[in-house]
């Protein structure tokens, strides 16, 4: 009997690839049908000298699929964001990338027609399959799990060093010892792969505790003996060129991590040290340079707020302020806004401390306070540089505030951040800094207060109908609306790591100035009065916007109530 259809298609594809002549194809086609997949590959390799990869490419094309070499795919913290890793391992699938609404996946079994349907249901995206070898996918999972190693082996080696003569003589493990260097690298690598935003190293009386902040919540990762602390802290200080002998004063620095790792992680870390009661502590903010800024539509703005905000950032002059605590997403919003309005005919200057992301076509300046390059000094310089738009990282003092207002009143669009609780209280903060009320009302275009709340996991969220106090809060915040909403599953699922939440979304309070508000500012009215005027003019408070996210199924009532208090 002749060969089957699948084998004949592979042979035909090898002919198209000029790997087999017509005579060779005819000879193979006449072979008995006992040449199944592995047997045919063995004959092609041993008798015809074809390389295994060429045969694999032909097999992929015979199924109408593109070949995929999964060994070349990089695993990052976002690789298994859409498809849980456990599902991928069970079904021999590996996420290869995203192009718009298309999700590319490498599969080992081209005959499993139900898998694409499962993936589409899981991700909500159109699935494009590519063919990979089963062994390559299994090896990829094994390699990556080995690559993101745990801490047991290096902790054992550190323990062994304590048992050596160095410890007996009273000397600590040094920051240049091999295990300490490995431990420092693994702490950063593990944090990055798990989607951590900040790494906290906190000395206790007898231990040093390492905690990672993921989606705004801190999780304890490691507890190490207290003696390891000084060496580990010193290693991180060496990595960012800080003075390791200075342990009494806070220091700030930056780690360019690709200099210390062979895993191709192009990330920087913003480092801050502080003397605490049991020794030095460190907090490191991870800045992923491979991560691009998000489009405005992905930041969580409601449709109404997005229209208003886009109109504000396209004004020729005036001041736009973003307020909120550290880690509330202000920087990402500012970068996204600049990206949207950045065109060749506009000159943009930024003064930042630090420069978190490099933006193409925008001139960015890093502050250096120790040499006198402050936000105020940068602003004064920018006013002589003929800019159209100026971004100042933060208004911290009276001098910066006054120059910022002056810039906004002299034909520049000034964008900056301020630390206040909500949008209306920004006016009181500027007044407290010594800015005259009439200067504020004349320059201010809008104030955007924001927070980040956790997204409920789409995979395991549970729908329910609120009752009692929850229902009352919803009706008050949403103008009488009530209906089914979602809550987080207590035990979570593999996709969300058992937390019930995955990722975060922004909530916003956008206060746009109008004649009534300007008049109230000039008269020095209280913050509560300004808030009432802004709400009458259409402003949605942080509390209202957080409940809007609950209504849309993006977050939960528990998360909304925990992050923003109800309006009085």
């Amino acid at each position: 009997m002749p060969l089957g259809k699948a084998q004949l298609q592979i042979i035909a594809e090898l002919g198209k690839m000029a790997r087999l002549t017509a005579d060779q194809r005819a000879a193979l086609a006449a072979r008995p049908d006992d040449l199944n997949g592995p047997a045919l590959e063995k004959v092609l390799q041993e008798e015809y000298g074809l390389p295994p990869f060429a045969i694999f490419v032909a097999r992929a094309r015979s199924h109408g699929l593109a070949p995929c070499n999964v060994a070349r795919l990089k695993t990052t913290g976002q690789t298994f964001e859409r498809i849980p890793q456990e599902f991928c391992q069970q079904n021999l699938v590996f996420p290869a990338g995203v192009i718009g609404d298309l999700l590319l996946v490498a599969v080992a079994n081209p005959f499993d027609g139900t898998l694409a349907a499962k993936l589409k249901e899981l991700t909500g995206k159109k699935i494009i399959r590519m063919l990979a070898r089963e062994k390559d996918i299994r090896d990829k999972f094994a390699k990556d799990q080995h690559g993101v190693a745990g801490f047991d082996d290096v902790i054992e080696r550190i323990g062994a060093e304590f048992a050596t003569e160095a410890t007996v003589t009273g000397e600590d493990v040094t920051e240049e010892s091999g295990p300490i260097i490995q431990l420092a690298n693994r702490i950063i690598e593990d944090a990055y792969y798990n989607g951590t935003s900040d790494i906290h190293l906190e000395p206790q009386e007898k231990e040093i505790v390492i905690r990672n902040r993921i989606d705004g919540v801190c999780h304890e990762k490691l507890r190490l003996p207290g003696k390891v602390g000084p060496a580990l802290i010193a290693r991180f200080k060496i990595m960012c060129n800080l003075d390791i002998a200075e342990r009494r004063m806070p220091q700030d620095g930056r780690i360019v991590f690709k200099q210390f790792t062979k895993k191709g992680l192009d990330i920087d870390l913003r480092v801050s040290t502080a003397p605490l009661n049991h020794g030095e502590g460190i907090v490191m903010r991870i800045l992923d340079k491979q991560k691009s800024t998000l489009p405005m539509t992905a930041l969580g703005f409601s449709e109404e707020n997005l229209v208003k905000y886009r109109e504000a950032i396209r004004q020729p002059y005036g001041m736009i302020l973003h307020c909120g605590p550290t880690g509330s997403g202000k920087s990402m919003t500012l970068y996204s806004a600049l990206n949207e309005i950045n065109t060749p005919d506009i000159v943009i200057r930024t003064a930042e401390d630090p420069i978190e992301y490099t933006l193409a076509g925008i001139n960015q300046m890093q502050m250096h306070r120790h040499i006198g390059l402050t936000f105020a000094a940068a602003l004064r310089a920018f006013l002589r540089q003929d800019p159209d738009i100026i971004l100042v990282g933060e208004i911290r003092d009276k001098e910066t505030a006054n120059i910022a207002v002056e810039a906004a009143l002299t034909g520049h669009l000034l964008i900056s951040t301020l630390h206040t609780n909500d949008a209306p209280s920004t006016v009181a903060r500027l007044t407290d800094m010594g800015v005259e009320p009439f200067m504020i009302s004349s320059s201010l275009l809008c104030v955007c207060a924001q927070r980040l709340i956790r997204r409920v996991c789409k995979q395991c969220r549970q729908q329910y109908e609120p009752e009692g106090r929850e229902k009352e809060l919803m009706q008050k915040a949403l103008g009488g609306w009530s209906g089914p909403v979602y809550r987080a599953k207590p035990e979570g699922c593999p996709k969300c790591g058992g937390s019930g939440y995955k990722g975060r979304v922004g909530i916003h309070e956008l206060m746009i100035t109008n004649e009534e508000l300007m008049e109230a500012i000039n008269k020095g009215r209280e913050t509560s009065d300004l808030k009432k005027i802004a709400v009458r003019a259409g402003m949605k408070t942080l509390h209202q916007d957080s409940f809007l996210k609950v209504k849309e199924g993006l977050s939960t009532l528990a998360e909304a109530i925990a992050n923003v208090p109800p309006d009085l």
Side-chain angles (χ1 to χ4, degrees):
M1 291 179 66
L3 291 179
K5 183 179 178 181
Q7 288 89 340
L8 289 174
Q9 286 177 330
I10 293 173
I11 293 169
E13 289 294 338
L14 287 167
K16 294 177 185 176
M17 295 163 58
R19 291 287 186 171
L20 292 174
T21 66
D23 290 341
Q24 289 173 327
R25 297 200 302 273
L28 281 166
R31 298 283 287 259
D33 63 354
D34 61 348
L35 284 185
N36 55 23
L40 178 61
E41 290 190 19
K42 184 177 180 182
V43 168
L44 290 170
Q45 289 181 51
E46 295 179 357
E47 297 184 21
Y48 293 87
L50 296 184
F53 191 71
I55 301 169
F56 164 65
V57 171
R59 187 161 71 90
R61 291 178 178 176
S62 71
H63 294 292
L65 303 177
C68 179
N69 185 358
V70 294
R72 295 185 178 181
L73 299 177
K74 287 187 177 181
T75 304
T76 70
Q78 288 76 43
T79 298
F80 300 103
E81 199 172 65
R82 294 176 178 85
I83 315 172
Q85 184 170 344
E86 184 180 353
F87 178 91
C88 292
Q89 288 177 302
Q90 289 174 352
N91 294 275
L92 291 177
V93 176
F94 199 88
V98 177
I99 304 175
D101 291 330
L102 304 178
L103 177 63
L104 279 62
V105 296
V107 300
N109 182 6
F111 300 105
D112 189 350
T114 62
L115 183 59
K118 289 180 186 176
L119 290 170
K120 184 174 182 180
E121 182 181 349
L122 199 62
T123 64
K125 289 185 173 290
K126 185 178 179 181
I127 305 300
I128 301 296
R129 295 187 306 160
M130 299 184 292
L131 188 65
R133 287 179 287 204
E134 180 178 332
K135 180 180 181 300
D136 289 348
I137 293 180
R138 293 189 187 279
D139 289 348
K140 180 67 175 174
F141 280 118
K143 180 182 177 182
D144 286 345
Q145 286 173 354
H146 177 72
V148 188
F151 298 92
D152 293 346
D153 60 331
V154 71
I155 290 173
E156 285 179 13
R157 290 180 60 194
I158 291 172
E161 289 210 5
F162 275 108
T164 63
E165 185 178 351
T167 306
V168 174
T169 57
E171 300 173 17
D172 287 333
V173 176
T174 69
E175 67 277 359
E176 292 298 334
S177 70
I180 287 294
I181 293 172
Q182 289 183 27
L183 178 61
N185 283 4
R186 286 195 196 173
I187 287 171
I188 293 173
E189 290 163 2
D190 177 81
Y192 171 74
Y193 286 125
N194 284 296
T196 298
S197 61
D198 300 87
I199 307 169
H200 294 249
L201 282 79
E202 301 164 337
Q204 307 294 328
E205 186 176 0
K206 296 180 180 179
E207 296 175 304
I208 181 165
V209 179
I210 293 144
R211 298 196 294 165
N212 292 345
R213 187 178 294 278
I214 302 172
D215 290 341
V217 179
C218 269
H219 304 270
E220 186 176 309
K221 186 67 183 180
L222 271 178
R223 281 184 177 264
L224 299 170
K227 284 191 174 182
V228 176
L232 185 58
I233 298 292
R235 173 58 189 168
F236 285 123
K237 290 169 78 173
I238 287 171
M239 292 169 76
C240 52
N241 296 315
L242 297 180
D243 183 0
I244 63 171
E246 179 55 78
R247 301 178 183 176
R248 300 167 301 169
M249 293 291 291
Q251 297 184 68
D252 293 328
R254 192 181 186 96
I255 295 175
V256 182
F257 190 57
K258 66 180 179 182
Q259 298 176 0
F260 304 97
T261 181
K262 296 179 181 178
K263 296 188 177 178
L265 297 185
D266 190 11
I267 60 174
D268 288 359
L269 294 99
R270 189 175 72 196
V271 181
S272 174
T273 73
L276 305 175
N277 57 333
H278 293 299
E280 268 191 300
I282 278 188
V283 177
M284 298 183 285
R285 165 70 56 89
I286 296 178
L287 309 174
D288 187 359
K289 296 169 75 175
Q290 298 170 330
K291 186 178 179 182
S292 60
T293 58
L294 294 171
M296 295 289 297
T297 52
L299 297 176
F301 279 104
S302 66
E303 290 184 14
E304 181 184 352
N305 280 344
L306 186 58
V307 170
K308 292 178 180 178
Y309 186 74
R310 278 177 161 162
E311 185 179 339
I313 62 176
R314 285 176 169 80
Q315 296 300 310
Y317 53 83
M319 184 163 62
I320 297 173
L321 296 177
H322 283 257
C323 56
T326 302
S328 61
K330 299 189 299 293
S331 295
M332 179 58 76
T333 306
L334 294 179
Y335 283 130
S336 298
L338 289 184
N339 254 354
E340 181 155 314
I341 58 179
N342 181 26
T343 56
D345 58 320
I346 291 177
V347 177
I348 301 176
R349 294 281 191 272
T350 77
E352 302 174 59
D353 187 20
I355 296 174
E356 296 190 16
Y357 302 100
T358 302
L359 301 177
I362 294 177
N363 302 281
Q364 298 170 264
M365 182 187 290
Q366 170 68 52
M367 298 300 95
H368 295 287
R369 281 175 286 175
H370 59 283
I371 62 170
L373 182 52
T374 62
F375 286 125
L379 257 176
R380 280 195 296 268
F382 284 165
L383 291 177
R384 298 188 292 271
Q385 295 254 313
D386 187 34
D388 297 298
I389 299 171
I390 300 173
L391 182 146
V392 181
E394 184 183 343
I395 295 177
R396 296 174 176 169
D397 50 48
K398 179 179 179 179
E399 186 181 12
T400 307
N402 279 305
I403 300 172
V405 170
E406 180 187 329
L409 289 172
T410 53
H412 305 91
L413 182 64
L414 190 287
I415 305 174
S416 189
T417 68
L418 205 62
H419 286 276
T420 60
N421 286 329
D422 59 10
S425 59
T426 301
V427 175
R429 179 82 176 104
L430 289 172
T431 305
D432 187 53
M433 284 184 177
V435 182
E436 294 291 341
F438 75 90
M439 296 279 280
I440 299 172
S441 64
S442 302
S443 60
L444 197 61
L445 288 174
C446 79
V447 181
C448 179
Q450 64 184 83
R451 300 287 190 278
L452 292 175
I453 61 174
R454 291 184 294 172
R455 289 179 182 267
V456 65
C457 177
K458 291 183 180 179
Q459 184 67 23
C460 63
R461 63 185 182 180
Q462 300 172 333
Q463 193 176 64
Y464 76 106
E465 191 82 34
E467 296 178 352
R469 176 64 175 158
E470 286 188 343
K471 187 174 182 179
E472 288 177 16
L473 285 171
M474 284 188 62
Q475 289 178 330
K476 185 178 178 181
L478 299 174
W481 184 91
S482 65
V485 295
Y486 292 97
R487 60 183 163 211
K489 188 178 181 181
E491 63 273 21
C493 70
K495 183 176 181 180
C496 59
S499 68
Y501 295 91
K502 185 66 176 176
R504 289 188 289 176
V505 63
I507 56 173
H508 305 88
E509 181 176 280
L510 194 63
M511 185 177 79
I512 305 291
T513 55
N514 57 27
E515 288 188 14
E516 186 182 2
L517 195 59
M518 290 168 67
E519 186 178 344
I521 293 171
N522 285 334
K523 291 180 179 178
R525 298 274 291 275
E526 295 289 334
T527 296
S528 58
D529 294 333
L530 299 181
K531 185 171 184 176
K532 290 175 183 175
I533 294 169
V535 169
R536 282 202 303 270
M539 182 185 83
K540 294 289 189 293
T541 65
L542 284 169
H543 175 68
Q544 290 172 323
D545 200 47
S546 67
F547 271 69
L548 187 62
K549 300 300 185 290
V550 175
K551 176 184 175 182
E552 293 170 352
L554 297 175
S555 193
T556 65
L557 278 168
E559 188 69 8
I561 294 169
N563 281 275
V564 184
D567 297 321
L568 298 176

